[in-house]
Amino acid sequence: MITYNILPGTVDVSVVIRIIDSTDGTPETGVVFNTSGIDLEYRREGAASTDITEATLAALTTAHADGGFLHIGNGYYRLDLPDAACATGVPGVLVH
């Protein structure tokens, strides 16, 4: 698990997530924003989960785009969180 300290109200937050194959435990390297079965969400403390609409990024250096998603390497992916995920009002958010 990767943990970040992000100040509430911060915008244009990109995080790194890792995707592991559920059958053999190896890193998934071929996932793209529209891979069948992908369903990324965030949950602000005390609230229900909210779906993230995934979108492709042209490159890892591309400017932040809510839902932006791209493979970095070895099963690690850049995910651009929607600004609402980090809005003020709660002390934490879970990305899943």
Side-chain angles (χ1 to χ4, degrees), residues 9-96:
T10 303
V11 296
D12 295 346
V13 174
S14 297
V15 297
V16 174
I17 64 170
R18 191 159 201 216
I19 301 176
I20 302 295
D21 188 293
S22 63
T23 57
D24 64 13
T26 59
E28 286 285 0
T29 59
V31 179
V32 294
F33 79 101
N34 61 353
T35 295
S36 177
I38 193 169
D39 185 22
L40 299 173
E41 300 179 345
Y42 69 88
R43 180 187 173 275
R44 292 169 48 88
E45 287 188 24
S49 291
T50 300
D51 189 55
I52 297 173
T53 302
E54 299 85 8
T56 194
L57 293 169
L60 292 173
T61 56
T62 299
H64 180 277
D66 287 357
F69 183 79
L70 192 63
H71 187 240
I72 297 168
N74 197 28
Y76 290 96
Y77 291 80
R78 171 182 155 184
L79 172 63
D80 293 349
L81 296 180
D83 291 340
C86 300
T88 58
V90 298
V93 63
L94 169 70
V95 177
H96 59 103

